[in-house]
Amino acid sequence: MASSSGSLSVHQTLDLTALCLENAQGSKDAELALELCIDAEVALSGIKSSQRRALIASKKGEDQTLSKRIATSYVDLGTLQDSLGRSDKTHTNFKKAVQWGGNIGESKSSNDVKSGNPGGKEEAQEGEGTDARGNTAPISQHIFTENVNPPAVVFTPPQQDERFKDIRQLSACLSLLQHSPSPDNVLEPTAREWIQSVENDEDEQERLRMLATEVIRGFVGDELKDSKAVAEVMCLAPVLDQQNFRFLLSHFYSCVDQSDLLNIHHLQGLADLIHGVDPGYLDSDDLVKILELLSLRLRDTHRQSSTYIYQLTLGISHILDAMADTKVNGLDREKLHTPLGSYLDELRAKSDPYLVYQAAYAYQALLYVPDDETPWQSAVRRTWKVIGGVCGLVSAAKGLDLIGFMDGLRNIQQGVAGVSVVYAMTKSAYKDATSLAQGGKDFLDSLKDSFSFDQKRAWYPALRGMDTLIRDGHLVKFKTLVCEAPCRRDPAFQWGVCQRLGEMAANSMWGPSTRQDAVSFLDELYRNDAEWGHQVDVKQWILTILIQLSSLPGSVAQYATQVLDDLRTDGDAEKQAMYQSSRENGLSSYTLRIDIQSLESSQLLDRAQNKPDVEGDLRRLRKTRLEHQKNTIYIPPQAKANLKASDDDHFPLMEAVLAFLNSDQHQVLLLLGDSGAGKSTFNKALECELWSSYKKGGPIPLHISLPTIDRPDQDMIAKQFRRLDFTDIQIKELKDHRELLLICDGYDECQQTRNLYIANQLNQPDEWKAKMVISCRSEYIGADYRDRFLPGHRNQSSKTAQLQEAVIIPFSTSQVEDYIDQYVAVYQPLWKAQEYKDALDRIPSLKELVGNPFLMTLTLDVLPRMMDPGQHLSTTRVTRVLLYDQFIEQWLERGKRRLSEKELNSSARAAFESLSDEGFTINGMDFLKKLSVAIYKEQDGQPIVEYSRFQDEGSWKSAFFGRSDDQYLLREACPLVRNGNQYRFIHRSMLEYGVARAIFDPQDWKETTLSRPSSNRRGSMSSIFSFEIHDIDEVDVSDIERGPDLNSPLAWRRFVKEPSVIQFLEERVQQEPLFKKQLLDYIDYSKKDKKWRIAAANAITILVRAGVQFNHADLRGIQIPNADLSYGVFHSAQMQGSDLRQVNLHGTWLRRARLDNTQMTRVQFSELPSLKQDGQVSMCVYSPDGETIAVRLSKGSLKVYSTSNWETLWTSEGHRGRVVYSPNSSQIASGSSIDHTVRLWDIRTGTCIQTLNGHDSNILSIAYSPQGDQIASSSDDKTIKIWDVESGECRIIWIGHTRYVSEVIYSPKGTQIASRSYEIVRIWDVEKKSCLHTMKGHEGWVLMIAYSPQGNQLASASEDCTVRLWDVTTGECCHILTGHDSDVYSIVYSPNGNQIASASADQSVRLWDADRGVCLYTLQGHTDGVQCAVYSLQGDIVASSSHDKTVRLWDVATGVCQQTLTGHTDVVWGVVFSPKGDRVASSSDDKTVRLWDVGAGLSSNNSRGHSSSVLDVMCSPRGDQVATRSSDRTVRLWDVETGVCRHVLQGHTNAITSIGYSPPGDQIATGSHDTTVRLWNIETGAYIHILEGGSRIFTVAYSPQGDQLASGGYDNAVRLWDVKSGECRHILTGHTSYINDVVYSKNSDQFASSSVDSTLRIWNAESGTCNYTLSGHSDKVNCVVYSPQNNQIASASGDKTVRVWDVGTGKCRHILHHKAGKVYSVAYSPGGDQITSGDWNGSMNVWDAASGECLWTFADHSRVVDRIVYSSRGDFVVSASHDKSVRLWDVTSGQCRAVIRDFQDGVNGIAWIEAAGVSYLVTGCGDGVVGVWQILLDGDPCDVSLKWMTTKGVLDVEEATIQDVQGLSQINRKLLEQRGAVGGPIQRL
């Protein structure tokens, strides 16, 4: 309205306002009246204020009259709003009336409004008519005297899960569910009870909906759809949900569209489906599409019979009705409106009144469907809608506003402009009525008038409103409408009335009286010619209807027959003749729209209900599974994306898995985690979550414990359903029609290596439809584990993307505390929650254990028993195997107690007492061990034992599950669970513990003679016993030497692939020296007898995993095939003649090992030899077929290698430039910067096939076309040339670039070429030989360009730090990718084109979304610029090469670095994947191409060493421990003797810069750049204090008494801290730059500080006052040290001097000059008589401390000497250098007595230790390795041997001898030789 008022004149506006107010006054519907008032108000507001001022100021009479009319209108509007309860609006409009000069009292209209009858009309009573000449036609009073309820099904509702008798019953039930019955509904009591019972029963409701769905599916699948089938689905159609409705609609559409001869039943079904549907289920596109189809069929079937065309036209009518109801817009008049109208217009020439009427009806319906029009016309329609449009009619009918409805009919006419047209609408209906009343036209002529496009007819909306009244049962109003309609004399109207009456009479769902009244109404219409006219066709239609009714069964037929008989004599002779003719013609071919199908027998429904019932059993299963999960402790786990991801990058696992199940992107989710990590617990919780949200017909959660299924690779789903008691019929039903959510638990336990997804053919045609969650222990998977779980082959990239991973991470602190709280609440143990939490804080290593949920449960269960009364928590050490020891013991004791309280028969009681006398716990442990061993021996470790007494009597199973009393009692006491005839341990790890305990049980290796009460050693941790011995008075334990046992599981089963068993045993090694000796004996026995080799392989695997190192060990002749020595240390080991076949040597340290004459067939190094060159490598590239690799050297050489043996195929010299393979791998092209040519080389022979001459300068780039028939080249000469490969001719020369052309590339289809030059990118059309686009925008050199795989996008990388994405069609820039901080060197698209990777000088790689241009991940980790990035073939990995000399492999899904490949010693320029994706090749300036196995570095490294450089080493005052400081922000405490890492001190958030032991050795202090100092407890590893230092800390030192700590930092101050309280006592200032060293004097009364300000200061330790400032150095002081006598200080400086200061005076005594360079280290000898210093250039000077004389100068180091340390006696000094060596010097003779070169990086820290008369040297290196070396000083040179070292997992065979090695492959031989092994292995014949 608002949009239209502004374009009307004032007069038109007032006319429109008056019309709105008139209709509002006449409306009984308050809501409608208010809407009309709003329209009136909007119309008046369109009169502008300027018009108001002009009219009021005008003196013209007509203007004053107009002003008065406006004022009156406002008064009328306000008064009407007041009567409608809107007094707020009244005041506003009265005020406006005054503004227009009006007087409120002057309005006549307002008085009318106040009178309560605004329109001055009186509403006629319903059912009463006026005089025939008036507005109402009389109808008999007894017809339709009251309204009735709409037709309703009377039915007996079914019980829950009961079958439905017929389709009407199902439809009625669904209808009740959709529309809860209102109070006036007439329902049988049983029906009302039914609706009340199912309102809250979601399962039953879902059953009904699913049944309806199955009926629809059955109908669609039925090829022969008879009328009865159509009737069934039409009965169901009104109650379908939207999805099923649209599915059915689509099917009917297809039936009508695809049939050659239109099926009337299908057409009628489509029409019925559309008619009366909920408008929300349809949109305009649906209706337009259907209408177009029917229009086409109408045009194509004009030559068919009238009946056929009639049915088609009827369908069109119903669709047009629906269009009008849904207010469809946007019909194109030219495309659809006019053509359809013309088709219908052709039908009016027909002589068949039935057909002509239906065509006329369709035509009128078409007029009421809006088409495209102007906004003004739309605005008028919105106004008219409220006045009386089609939707307004429906609204009025629903509101029972008959007057409004009638007014609407009178106003029917399409309005296009102005109020005058609206008035014309009002007269149109009377005009029709008048002309018909005059009787000037017959029926056909009157119908033909209805085809005019220029004018709508009132009879169509009247009939539509009538349909609404009939539908709602408003029959009184229906009668009134028929009698009072202004178009009641219109024959078309009468025809439609008769049709509706006939349908009412024929519909058995109406009551008998209603049906009889309908017949009576027809009787009246026939008889009363005076009121209803003499139209013969109408009268004949009435007779036809009555004849049809008389043929129906029931009472209505009798009444219709009676009426027909009475009408025989009605009227004059002509009328009687017409009657007689109609009766003789009989039934018409045009039947009423009556559902005459009998639906008592519903074939579709019967078919749907005959399906096997699965929902009932699914409900039972759901209930069982949910009950099973009650009262369980569950902490929602966190997970990370894969094994290499950081635990810090975690997410809620449940959310991720549910998102996976609801996603279409993945099919398999692999859930990984350590043993006991909570995978099974989570899987059960997931199942519970899915069952809780389960809806009937939805995906079914199915939990499968894989070990319980025999051969899960063969139809495991059906097997599981059978175990759940589903029948085969039910299983088939589920397989055919349902989707499953599989939760497969325990892949590692089912002894499977097959891919269960592929083996079970999931989601293949006619197979199970399922998504899979499958769990597996992390330690059981290898490098290529993904192949076992991918839903397809690994090279199918689409399938690779469908595998998602999640790895459960250990519990966080908060999760542990939550678990404890739940545990205490559920089980109420001896300890309270806080006691458990205190124990976790104070017991070393316990926190690491309880991050595992299963170990957490064990810990909480046994911890109170493990603690002796009064035992200090910090002295307790708990390991995994000790937890299991205590848990099993406690479990058995509980079992014993339970059995003692149980009623046992006499024989069982006697057996129990006998077992107790012998030691019930011992017997129980023996039973557990033997059962575990039997399961491994007889079932290959399959944990489920099925026992049947009849089948297994006498077998090994009967020894454990037989019927004897002993077996029963021990079985009951052991941690076993039973399910039917299946037995299993409560957790897989219990089985593994049992077999590990059988391998070594501490009790079996002791002789017990006497015992003491168990209470005296309750839970002792120090004893080697793992359980108690009861009821014996005293015990005397002594060791008994026993030899290895061939019956041990170690001797007959390989446990190399059983990491959980290995873990138990490796912990036993660390606790039990006897076991370590036993394992060493196994290895030793294998030297002489091969029957021990399985045991030896197991033994050495366990020892290596336990951290035992075999440095200098005599292992000659050992036989250990298949052993796992990965990451082991065998420094200088003697292994000659050993059997190492198939041994895993990944990352093993074999430096100087003797491997001569060993058998090394199929030994595994997981590395490949590098391709060494004689110059820097600029690039390497694989051939497309992967059979060769080409290497280009910077000097110009080209080498091609075979990838089968890595031998050189051929070499070409002198053609320097880029290299590229042809698509078919048969050629290589190279471009030269020397002779300016392009050369083509035969890949097999290396001969030059073609030389392409034509460029005038350096060739910068070459590219083959995708077809391989062309080569493009670009040059410094600013041109691009296209060459024919076969002929060598130049086909195209492109000139356009103004600078040299750096790169050319072909588009994927070969139709385009892209080039880059300076800041410009160009795209060229190959066929048209022209430039398509010149793309500008970069503000720096474009460094690389790349086409997307689809060829629709081009990416360019630039030194302006951006990547730009260009549309190749338009040349427009789509996205600018910003985020890099420096040059972008490289860009590459992922194989599917969804992502882009960019590599930059800013040390990062970024992954971008190619469509949206947003950054997905920033890959950070490189420490220098990243030169190159490439995707793997599957697109799941990105490899990057860097100036930091490394290659990194990144997980695309998470952005996590999976591997860092080290080994290059210079810049790595490029990296490429092999075509198979299993290898990576990298090219470097170090003159090598290195080859890496992708995934080889993913195996676990048992080293607990630092992950980054070791920066400092410090020995504890006790000499038993070493602390190492690393750039990984941790400090580690190592046991000097064993090499075990006791604690990892972590918590600092920035670099740790200094460490210091307290003098008693009970604490250690760490200073950090995070501005804090931390004090740590040595015993527990827990921090004591965190001291806030105010700025970055550089140095810390304890006072000699250990009560004070000094720290120096970046704020130029020294702080003194009270160690006990952690309080800062003094802040000492004076230095002008940061403090880099602090050292106390031995008597603790003073300390010295050194600074970058070139000074030292001596401070009073008690008062904090400065005693002296020592000045003299001209550069920063690097370190300071007190002499042992505390009388001197020596300081080392960057000014190349060492200064010696007198502590008492502060004066400089000596200046010791270094000639070579800056001094970085200085140390006093233990006696204080010498000073040794080391400088930047690697020189060392030994000085006489008293005289300052230089005694010795050692210049053997080649780089800085960073650390110096004296031996305890002072006769030797040790130097550590960045030249990767340590040297031992005799300070008496000046000789170098030993050199240690076994380092792979600079040595940053050393410490000398004397222990039990043995000298040790501890070293810490830049590669993170810590080593302890034993020094024997008596020899010359001194004997230095490695005691232990941490490893970095890098294969080291430097100086290892491999003379006469047998079975070593050529590849591995080359690898060993490259890594420094010496000697040549012989070839095996």
Side-chain angles (χ1 to χ4, degrees), residues 210 1400 1598:
M210 284 301 300
S1400 170
Y1598 277 96

Side-chain angles (χ1 to χ4, degrees), residues 420-661:
S420 60
V421 179
V422 177
Y423 279 127
M425 290 185 200
T426 308
K427 299 175 183 178
S428 65
Y430 289 105
K431 179 179 179 183
D432 288 345
T434 301
S435 63
L436 288 173
Q438 294 173 350
K441 299 181 180 179
D442 62 15
F443 178 67
L444 288 176
D445 289 338
S446 67
L447 286 178
K448 292 172 183 177
D449 283 345
S450 299
F451 283 89
S452 172
F453 249 104
D454 298 329
Q455 191 166 4
K456 296 180 178 179
R457 294 293 180 176
W459 59 265
Y460 171 75
L463 293 175
R464 293 306 323 282
M466 194 180 301
D467 290 336
T468 302
L469 292 172
I470 294 173
R471 181 196 64 198
D472 295 337
H474 294 174
L475 301 185
V476 176
K477 290 193 177 286
F478 164 75
K479 172 183 172 182
T480 304
L481 175 58
V482 174
C483 295
E484 296 186 6
C487 55
R488 66 182 181 278
R489 301 293 296 271
D490 192 319
F493 175 76
Q494 294 178 13
W495 186 284
V497 170
C498 294
Q499 182 176 359
R500 283 153 180 79
L501 289 170
E503 290 170 354
M504 287 178 64
N507 191 342
S508 59
M509 296 184 69
W510 288 101
S513 60
T514 300
R515 298 174 70 187
Q516 185 170 323
D517 283 352
V519 175
S520 299
F521 209 138
L522 289 169
D523 184 40
E524 290 270 358
L525 294 175
Y526 185 87
R527 293 177 183 273
N528 196 341
D529 296 339
E531 290 300 329
W532 300 101
H534 299 79
Q535 291 292 340
V536 174
D537 292 302
V538 173
K539 305 300 182 182
Q540 288 179 329
W541 177 226
I542 293 173
L543 292 175
T544 300
I545 292 171
L546 291 172
I547 293 170
Q548 290 189 39
L549 293 174
S550 66
S551 65
L552 296 177
S555 60
V556 72
Q558 299 175 2
Y559 187 66
T561 301
Q562 180 182 341
V563 170
L564 277 172
D565 292 341
D566 293 343
L567 292 179
R568 180 183 297 111
T569 59
D570 181 69
D572 55 18
E574 292 182 0
K575 192 173 185 180
Q576 292 177 14
M578 177 200 66
Y579 171 89
Q580 187 61 35
S581 173
S582 298
R583 290 302 303 267
E584 291 174 355
N585 291 332
L587 289 174
S588 169
S589 59
Y590 301 106
T591 58
L592 295 171
R593 282 176 34 85
I594 306 168
D595 182 11
I596 59 174
Q597 295 288 344
S598 173
L599 298 178
E600 275 71 19
S601 175
S602 305
Q603 295 179 359
L604 294 174
L605 179 61
D606 291 343
R607 210 181 309 163
Q609 292 188 121
N610 281 334
K611 291 183 357 179
D613 175 32
V614 295
E615 289 298 341
D617 284 344
L618 287 175
R619 280 199 300 275
R620 171 186 54 79
L621 176 61
R622 175 177 180 268
K623 182 178 180 181
T624 301
R625 300 303 293 173
L626 292 178
E627 284 290 333
H628 186 70
Q629 279 296 101
K630 288 184 177 179
N631 299 321
T632 58
I633 300 176
Y634 174 68
I635 302 296
Q638 298 286 305
K640 59 183 180 180
N642 54 47
L643 291 170
K644 282 296 180 179
S646 168
D647 286 356
D648 295 332
D649 298 327
H650 58 78
F651 49 82
L653 179 59
M654 184 64 76
E655 293 182 16
V657 174
L658 293 177
F660 154 77
L661 293 174

